[in-house]
Amino acid sequence: MRLIRITVLLAIVIGAYYIVEKGFIENDPDKISSVGFDHRENKLESKEIPDKRSVVPLQGDTFQWMNKPVDQLEKSFGEPSRKDPSAYGYEWWMYSDKKGEYIQFGIQDNHVKSIYALGSDLSLGPAEIGQTYDAVKDQFSFKREVTYNNDSSSYTFRLTDKELQERPLVKVSDDIFLQIYFDTFTDKVSAVRMMSADILLLHRPYEIQYHGKLTEKPDFSKEQWAKIEEGAEQQIFHISNVIRSQHGKSDLAWNETVSNVAYLHSEDMAKNNYFSHYEQDGDGLKERLAAKDVLYQSAGENIAAQYPDAPAAIHGWLNSEGHREALLKDEFTHLGVGVHQLHYTQNFLQRQ
């Protein structure tokens, strides 16, 4: 087989956090941040081929559901609170039995192929919510390069220093991988995600170097994207409240009008190829809320682009100082979320 050296480039961007308070906008340039990757093409080396040492065994009640059929899942968990299509061809089943506990099961071909979870009462293992970075690192040997081989292709996921701190990748079996999301402000596990190799290759959350074939992402109609986007908005809303609960903050109420404001901004950024809190005519959050006659005492906005899905975007905001401030702000009472494909906007309000 001819060896092909290709680097897949993924750009992830987080926007600045702005506060609109009592009629003015406070813009702190120090809070402007972006996350990108300087990906360079490198040769494939022998160390990229998986070795024969044992992998990490699956532990914990939650992750035992990987590869199980959906009829068993539904028999144990009941009907999910939501079923949302993803941007990668599988379906998310959402379960949130009580405050502070949340699970999304990714269903493909009637089997569980991905699990995203956060919540202090969940039995996850081998990485638990709230464990310190050093404690988890003692269990796993975090590596800059993680490999996967199938019958016809070989893949190497290459992680930056930032990725190793925020979301290291661990191979737990021949074709199952674990992403561990850390809160870099507390150095503790904030969420975990397990997925099949096929789904990891579709998400492409890291630079990939491979020879062979890379699976193409599915195409969707406008109507299909609308359902994907609606699901992502609800996921961001619920995950935001779980994170707030874990930090001792009150829940935010959903605001449909503000969600529409947020969606229109995400759509405008995507269609006009820009990334900013200000539209091309100079209007900002203050003007967008005024156009919909939204009353508030203060408001804030988080934006992100090119994250593979809603959970990934949330953890990007959580690990950015300004965006984290908005996400956990005591005074905020309402939230509207707008997602257009891979552009994400959160609009927060403080209302009486």
Side-chain angles (χ1 to χ4, degrees):
M1 179 183 294
R2 183 180 177 186
L3 182 65
I4 303 173
R5 299 191 185 100
I6 302 176
T7 297
V8 177
L9 179 63
L10 171 66
I12 295 178
V13 187
I14 303 178
Y17 159 50
Y18 287 74
I19 297 176
V20 178
E21 192 164 317
K22 299 181 180 177
F24 67 89
I25 296 178
E26 175 185 326
N27 173 15
D28 183 352
D30 292 334
K31 293 177 182 174
I32 296 176
S33 60
S34 64
V35 180
F37 308 109
D38 178 15
H39 290 164
R40 292 176 291 274
E41 184 171 312
N42 292 281
K43 295 181 180 180
L44 290 172
E45 302 173 359
S46 59
K47 65 182 178 181
E48 296 172 352
I49 300 175
D51 53 32
K52 299 297 183 180
R53 58 187 169 80
S54 60
V55 294
V56 179
L58 291 176
Q59 301 173 19
D61 294 340
T62 303
F63 286 140
Q64 294 295 332
W65 286 101
M66 280 295 293
N67 292 322
K68 295 291 177 59
V70 293
D71 57 348
Q72 290 186 25
L73 180 71
E74 198 164 12
K75 184 177 180 180
S76 180
F77 281 80
E79 184 71 17
S81 58
R82 290 183 62 87
K83 292 182 180 180
D84 295 328
S86 75
Y88 303 96
Y90 61 90
E91 186 176 58
W92 280 122
W93 286 23
M94 264 66 65
Y95 292 92
S96 183
D97 291 338
K98 54 186 177 180
K99 189 174 181 179
E101 186 174 302
Y102 183 88
I103 310 175
Q104 294 184 189
F105 291 99
I107 308 300
Q108 187 176 55
D109 298 327
N110 291 318
H111 285 75
V112 176
K113 293 297 181 180
S114 182
I115 303 171
Y116 167 82
L118 67 165
S120 56
D121 294 333
L122 295 176
S123 175
L124 299 174
E128 299 288 348
I129 304 300
Q131 275 188 299
T132 65
Y133 187 93
D134 288 341
V136 179
K137 191 176 181 181
D138 284 343
Q139 299 180 61
F140 308 105
S141 179
F142 293 158
K143 296 184 178 298
R144 296 182 181 277
E145 296 184 356
V146 180
T147 60
Y148 166 65
N149 277 3
N150 59 25
D151 293 338
S152 59
S153 302
S154 178
Y155 308 88
T156 299
F157 303 96
R158 304 172 66 91
L159 281 68
T160 65
D161 289 342
K162 185 177 180 65
E163 289 164 346
L164 280 172
Q165 288 299 125
E166 292 187 354
R167 46 190 175 93
L169 181 69
V170 177
K171 187 174 184 177
V172 297
S173 75
D174 288 342
D175 61 353
I176 297 178
F177 293 82
L178 177 67
Q179 271 188 308
I180 307 171
Y181 292 100
F182 284 95
D183 181 336
T184 56
F185 287 79
T186 64
D187 282 329
K188 294 181 178 180
V189 177
S190 57
V192 288
R193 187 199 298 244
M194 191 168 282
M195 68 192 91
S196 68
D198 290 342
I199 287 179
L200 178 62
L201 286 168
L202 283 171
H203 278 224
R204 300 170 197 171
Y206 311 97
E207 177 188 353
I208 304 175
Q209 191 174 59
Y210 70 100
H211 67 83
K213 184 179 180 180
L214 191 63
T215 306
E216 293 185 5
K217 298 178 182 180
D219 291 324
F220 297 104
S221 66
K222 183 178 180 180
E223 291 74 20
Q224 288 172 319
W225 265 117
K227 293 180 180 179
I228 294 168
E229 292 160 357
E230 179 186 355
E233 290 167 358
Q234 290 300 311
Q235 291 164 35
I236 288 176
F237 172 68
H238 289 292
I239 295 170
S240 295
N241 274 333
V242 173
I243 290 174
R244 285 178 63 89
S245 175
Q246 291 176 339
H247 288 82
K249 311 297 181 180
S250 60
D251 282 356
L252 302 173
W254 178 262
N255 186 294
E256 187 65 28
T257 302
V258 176
S259 177
N260 185 48
V261 171
Y263 175 80
L264 292 174
H265 188 53
S266 289
E267 181 185 46
D268 191 57
M269 288 190 292
K271 289 186 174 180
N272 292 295
N273 195 30
Y274 74 95
F275 186 74
S276 172
H277 291 276
Y278 291 98
E279 299 171 17
Q280 293 177 310
D281 62 3
D283 284 351
L285 177 58
K286 175 185 175 182
E287 289 77 19
R288 290 192 289 274
L289 292 172
K292 297 294 184 180
D293 298 320
V294 177
L295 300 177
Y296 58 93
Q297 291 181 290
S298 65
E301 179 173 87
N302 284 341
I303 59 176
Q306 303 311 316
Y307 278 86
D309 63 6
I314 277 282
H315 290 284
W317 284 325
L318 184 66
N319 283 328
S320 174
E321 183 176 359
H323 308 90
R324 179 189 184 88
E325 180 183 340
L327 188 59
L328 301 178
K329 190 176 178 67
D330 286 313
E331 289 77 13
F332 286 149
T333 57
H334 292 74
L335 174 63
V337 183
V339 176
H340 181 78
Q341 297 192 9
L342 299 184
H343 283 73
Y344 311 86
T345 300
Q346 281 182 311
N347 284 162
F348 301 88
L349 292 185
Q350 177 188 359
R351 303 183 72 170
Q352 290 181 336

